[in-house]
Amino acid sequence: MLPGRLRRALKEHLAHAKAVHERDVQSGFGSVHLPDALQRKYPNAHRAWMWQYVFPAAKRSIDPVSGRIQRHHVSEKLLQDAVKQAVLPAGITKPASCHTLRHSFATHLLEDGYDIRSLQELLGHSPREITQAHAKALLRLCLALAKGPSVLCWVGEGFASASATA
C-alpha cells in the first residue's frame, strides 16, 4: 500500500524517531501514554520502542494522567499547517487538507479494487459510520467506474462538494 519510492524515506524517518527515543531513555524519559488496560497488563510497555509514536513531538511534555514527563505525537495543527503550505507549490489549485488526502487515499483504494468493508476497517470506521455524504461519493465513484475513466474528473469534483457539505 505504501508507494515504493517512500519506503526509504520512511525507514530513515523511523531511524531518526528511534534515535530520539533512545536519547530520551538514556535521559530517564522515553515513555508514552498507553490505555489503562494495556498499561496494567504490560507495566513497562510505555518505554518500549514498539509503542512509541511514528511522528513524535519535538519536545517532551507532562502527561496529565500519569504525571510523567514523556513525548507525545506531533500536534495535529502542525501537520495541518504543513499540508496547507505544501498545496500551492505542489500545483494543487483546489482547497486541500489532511481530510482531503484521506478521502483521496480511500478513493484510489476503491479504484484499485479494495472492498468497502476492508477500507472502512483500514480507516478506522465501523460499518455504521458511513455518512450520507460518503455514501453519495461512493455511489458517484461506482457509477464513474462503470462508465469509464473519462467520468472520474466529474467524480472528483462531486466528491469534493459532497465532503464540503458533510
Side-chain angles (χ1 to χ4, degrees):
M1 199 165 298
L2 183 68
R5 61 190 170 102
L6 296 180
R7 287 191 178 129
R8 181 174 171 213
L10 181 58
K11 283 182 181 182
E12 290 172 2
H13 172 78
L14 289 173
H16 172 73
K18 187 173 184 180
V20 168
H21 171 64
E22 289 170 353
R23 281 195 306 273
D24 282 352
V25 169
Q26 289 173 357
S27 301
F29 304 104
S31 69
V32 295
H33 174 75
L34 295 176
D36 290 335
L38 192 60
Q39 184 63 43
R40 282 191 304 274
K41 187 172 182 177
Y42 304 107
N44 295 316
H46 67 279
R47 297 178 65 84
W49 162 241
M50 69 179 284
W51 292 105
Q52 304 303 307
Y53 292 107
V54 172
F55 298 102
K59 297 179 181 178
R60 293 183 296 253
S61 59
I62 298 174
D63 178 21
V65 176
S66 69
R68 287 191 303 252
I69 297 176
Q70 56 192 27
R71 200 171 295 273
H72 199 59
H73 58 74
V74 69
S75 77
E76 291 176 28
K77 177 76 171 131
L78 186 68
L79 180 61
Q80 291 165 350
D81 289 347
V83 168
K84 283 184 181 182
Q85 288 179 0
V87 167
L88 287 177
I92 300 171
T93 57
K94 294 184 177 187
S97 65
C98 296
H99 194 73
T100 310
L101 293 175
R102 180 180 168 92
H103 281 285
S104 177
F105 175 70
T107 301
H108 285 288
L109 288 179
L110 287 170
E111 289 173 351
D112 289 344
Y114 278 76
D115 66 285
I116 187 65
R117 298 296 176 224
S118 298
L119 185 58
Q120 285 173 320
E121 187 176 330
L122 180 66
L123 296 177
H125 290 290
S126 73
R128 299 180 308 276
E129 290 179 350
I130 289 191
T131 64
Q132 188 175 5
H134 288 104
K136 286 179 185 177
L138 290 173
L139 178 60
R140 287 182 180 144
L141 178 63
C142 290
L143 290 171
L145 291 174
K147 291 181 179 180
S150 63
V151 185
L152 288 177
C153 295
W154 173 81
V155 171
E157 293 170 12
F159 194 33
S161 64
S163 297
T165 58

